[in-house]
Amino acid sequence: MEIMIFGHLTEITRSKSIDAPCAKNIAELRHNLEEMFPGLVGKTFVIAVNNQLETEEYVLSQNDRLALLPPFSGG
Amino acid sequence: MERYNRQTILQEFGEAGQRALKNASVLVIGAGGLGCPVLLYLNAMGVGRIGIMDGDQVQISNLHRQVLFGEGDLGKNKAVTAAKALNTNNSQTQIDVFQENITKENAVNIVFEYDIVVDCSDNFPTRYLVNDICFLMNKPLVFAAINGFEGQVAVFNWKSSGNYRDLYPIMPVFGEVANCEETGVLGVLAGIIGSIQAAEVIKIITGIGQPIAGSILNYDLRDHSQIQFKYKINPSTSPSWENFRHSDYAEICELPQTQLIDLPAWEKIVENESMTIIDVRNHDEKPKLKIKHLSLPLPELKKQFHMLPLGDILFICQTGKRSREAVVIAQSKDEGTRKFFTLQGGINALRQLN
């Protein structure tokens, strides 16, 4: 599954776009991502599916467009 | 008026739009990278009353993006200095200067005075405080934040458009997200995002177009890509007066290692029932815990703290974030007679045991 990465999370993933193994829901995707990139553990971010922020139970399908969006604080 | 002719001749804006600006009052919190362009345009375009709130002084490292200030302003208060600069452009604006940062104590009286609040602050405690008070007082809030080459903009509390906690219910831990001082920011990014923010204020006041409501805009300067992410309103994370009164809106710091429970320690605690385990997730969250535990959602912890059983307590949630906040809350309520712990990685981490 292709995932777009935003903000400072790209410092952890080293790329604006990554490929992750298929996951059945967001909780599993989050878990997989944390194994691929241990730097993500404990980081605050929400996961968007097709440009809509979704919660942990959301069931994913193969062609979903995914994105990791962290909060910014700078002004 | 000649002064505003180039915008009043716009059919959609017209004299009515100008009157609406004249009658509007806007509070700008933070006169920094975002605040400067917001203030420049709201003032120049004819917003009748502008409040500027900032307790900081101008520093040399601000000048590359905080374009209202000059070399002669170093060391001076930003709100005072910004007001002077604005006055040279448009002397008709009523400008209220607050040489202080927003706090729990001053927030209600100041926010009450204005139609719209603009969050141009640079730290999470202020952003959560501003979000909460605007939600509680039902004031439209134009939010923006920048990081590196990217910016976020959203309009909250406008025609039921939700609030920041619908996206990020809990404040990140201190140091988790670096600020402009640490990661750097391209000067012009603040100009672009601040200008989008000013445009949203103008749109709300005049009714022109469609503000970024119910979604958050992410802008990337490197390729000018813009994506809006929709979010759902989650009443269980909404601010309440109760939480507002009890929160100290201070940076949440990492807990000492001794209060973080890892999986081997977790298994021992469960086996020996050596302390009370409390699940601070909401009642409807899954998976349910199969071990002996109590359930007390985080928003209720402060009110119900005195009902908790005596002895040490291990808090648990889905990811370890809310349980960490529960430890901080419990420590502030307790008289120091017992210990509080959090399960690292939360229930998500327990999957590694199966």
Side-chain angles (χ1 to χ4, degrees), chain B residues 317-333:
Chain B
C317 69
Q318 197 68 37
T319 64
K321 217 170 249 304
R322 280 174 286 178
S323 56
R324 181 193 62 213
E325 188 162 327
V327 169
V328 175
I329 292 168
Q331 284 178 163
S332 72
K333 291 261 177 191

Side-chain angles (χ1 to χ4, degrees), chain A residues 44 51 53-54 69-70 74, chain B residues 33 146 152 168 176 230 232 321:
Chain A
T44 304
N51 295 354
L53 304 184
E54 298 290 358
L69 197 67
Chain B
I146 50 180
Q152 297 174 336
Y168 303 105
E176 186 202 311
K230 287 190 192 137
K232 291 183 188 128
K321 217 170 249 304

Side-chain angles (χ1 to χ4, degrees), chain B residues 62-137:
Chain B
N62 297 150
L63 299 185
H64 80 119
R65 69 186 190 285
Q66 303 185 12
V67 293
L68 277 173
F69 312 129
E71 292 168 10
D73 299 321
L74 299 179
K76 293 181 187 163
N77 174 268
K78 288 185 183 178
V80 173
T81 313
K84 273 193 197 140
L86 297 183
N87 190 254
T88 62
N89 173 269
N90 191 344
S91 59
Q92 293 167 357
T93 314
Q94 180 193 330
I95 298 180
D96 311 325
V97 174
F98 302 96
Q99 299 182 53
E100 57 193 319
N101 293 326
I102 193 161
T103 64
K104 244 171 69 173
E105 288 70 35
N106 65 20
V108 173
N109 287 339
I110 294 175
V111 168
F112 177 79
E113 291 286 317
Y114 297 88
D115 304 330
I116 298 170
V117 177
V118 192
D119 179 6
C120 299
S121 67
D122 63 357
N123 62 83
F124 284 119
T126 304
R127 291 188 179 285
Y128 277 84
L129 170 64
V130 171
N131 175 73
D132 292 359
I133 197 65
C134 286
F135 177 86
L136 294 169
M137 296 178 75

Side-chain angles (χ1 to χ4, degrees), chain B residues 295-329:
Chain B
S295 183
L296 182 64
L298 184 64
E300 291 167 33
L301 177 62
K302 274 175 191 145
K303 274 178 276 181
Q304 306 285 336
F305 183 79
H306 60 281
M307 307 277 287
L308 296 183
L310 296 173
D312 296 346
I313 290 175
L314 169 58
F315 292 106
I316 176 169
C317 69
Q318 197 68 37
T319 64
K321 217 170 249 304
R322 280 174 286 178
S323 56
R324 181 193 62 213
E325 188 162 327
V327 169
V328 175
I329 292 168

Side-chain angles (χ1 to χ4, degrees), chain B residues 183-237:
Chain B
T183 57
V185 61
L186 216 55
V188 66
L189 176 70
I192 294 169
I193 301 300
S195 298
I196 295 175
Q197 214 176 357
E200 295 305 287
V201 175
I202 300 296
K203 284 157 65 181
I204 294 173
I205 295 171
T206 59
I208 292 172
Q210 185 56 54
I212 308 163
S215 61
I216 184 165
L217 169 73
N218 193 100
Y219 171 91
D220 191 331
L221 174 145
R222 286 166 293 197
D223 56 3
H224 293 294
S225 60
Q226 299 184 37
I227 306 182
Q228 286 192 34
F229 295 100
K230 287 190 192 137
Y231 59 84
K232 291 183 188 128
I233 290 173
N234 182 359
S236 74
T237 62

Side-chain angles (χ1 to χ4, degrees), chain A residues 24-28 31 55-58, chain B residues 266 277-291 293-295 316-319 322 343 345-352 354:
Chain A
K24 67 173 188 293
N25 58 25
I26 288 193
E28 190 179 301
H31 179 74
T55 49
E56 300 299 300
E57 315 81 53
Y58 186 87
Chain B
W266 160 262
I277 295 169
I278 298 182
D279 183 355
V280 294
R281 295 177 303 164
N282 294 327
H283 294 301
D284 55 354
E285 285 181 70
K286 286 174 188 146
K288 294 280 175 213
L289 276 177
K290 294 195 182 85
I291 48 132
H293 72 283
L294 300 174
S295 183
I316 176 169
C317 69
Q318 197 68 37
T319 64
R322 280 174 286 178
L343 174 66
I347 290 163
N348 288 350
L350 295 181
R351 270 183 302 210
Q352 292 167 32
N354 303 334

Side-chain angles (χ1 to χ4, degrees), chain B residues 5-15:
Chain B
N5 171 268
R6 298 301 185 274
Q7 60 196 28
T8 51
I9 57 175
L10 278 169
Q11 273 189 5
E12 256 189 281
F13 186 82
E15 295 293 338

